[in-house]
Amino acid sequence: MTGYTATVTVRLKHGVLDPEAETTQQALERLGFELEDLRSADRFEIDLEAESAEDARERADEMAERLLANPTIHDYDVEVDER
Amino acid sequence: MTGYTATVTVRLKHGVLDPEAETTQQALERLGFELEDLRSADRFEIDLEAESAEDARERADEMAERLLANPTIHDYDVEVDER
């Protein structure tokens, strides 16, 4: 077994309203910053023991499907690094 | 001017309690997943126009310092890619 860190990034699907991101963008603009767009995402860094990077990725993928992301409104991606 | 996307990742400092991450980890374990640790972070993807990648990074850095991160409890890093 090897130690891996799987990073799951969960984003809102294109077209889903993101009031938190909008508020953050407006606050930055009020501070004088110029920006075109701001999107927010949740990032989960998961340490796990697995037989292989492939195995770690599959398990992180299943965690995203079952709990971390809501498939109706979210897209996600998984990145795996050896610890 | 060139279009860049600056990605700011904001994490809780080591030692700061993260009840959201703890709850998420427990929920995954209750679903039968085995994991050693789970950390959560906020990720902001900021589209901006800048003279150079260096300039884009400096501005994203300032946004993190002034609004996106709270230096008392957060660490952050900035990544810049051309759009």
Side-chain angles (χ1 to χ4, degrees):
Chain A
M1 298 287 259
T2 316
Y4 294 93
T5 298
T7 303
V8 180
T9 305
V10 179
R11 290 182 185 75
L12 285 169
K13 280 188 176 163
H14 196 78
V16 178
L17 290 181
D18 187 350
E20 184 195 337
E22 235 168 85
T23 307
T24 307
Q25 178 170 351
Q26 284 165 10
L28 285 169
E29 285 166 347
R30 230 173 291 120
L31 288 170
F33 290 107
E34 279 175 33
L35 56 161
E36 312 288 303
D37 192 29
L38 183 146
R39 298 172 296 284
S40 67
D42 285 324
R43 189 181 147 116
F44 300 95
E45 299 171 359
I46 302 162
D47 293 342
L48 68 179
E49 299 275 318
E51 297 292 349
S52 65
E54 203 38 58
D55 176 33
R57 173 181 303 275
E58 263 171 42
R59 278 164 55 199
D61 217 80
E62 212 190 320
M63 293 181 202
E65 301 259 339
R66 293 199 52 196
L67 186 83
L68 305 176
N70 174 345
T72 311
I73 54 169
H74 291 136
D75 284 325
Y76 69 89
D77 59 61
V78 177
E79 233 175 83
V80 173
D81 295 295
E82 212 172 307
R83 246 183 298 152
Chain B
M1 298 287 257
T2 316
Y4 294 94
T5 298
T7 303
V8 180
T9 305
V10 179
R11 290 183 184 74
L12 286 169
K13 280 189 177 163
H14 196 77
V16 178
L17 290 180
D18 186 350
E20 184 196 337
E22 236 168 84
T23 307
T24 306
Q25 178 169 352
Q26 283 165 11
L28 285 169
E29 285 166 347
R30 230 173 291 120
L31 288 170
F33 291 106
E34 278 174 32
L35 55 160
E36 311 290 303
D37 191 31
L38 183 147
R39 298 171 295 283
S40 68
D42 286 324
R43 189 181 146 116
F44 300 94
E45 297 171 0
I46 303 162
D47 293 342
L48 69 178
E49 298 276 318
E51 298 291 349
S52 65
E54 203 38 57
D55 176 34
R57 173 180 303 277
E58 263 171 41
R59 278 164 55 199
D61 217 80
E62 213 189 321
M63 293 181 203
E65 301 259 339
R66 292 199 52 195
L67 186 84
L68 304 176
N70 173 346
T72 310
I73 54 167
H74 291 136
D75 284 325
Y76 69 88
D77 59 61
V78 177
E79 233 175 84
V80 173
D81 295 296
E82 211 172 308
R83 245 183 299 151

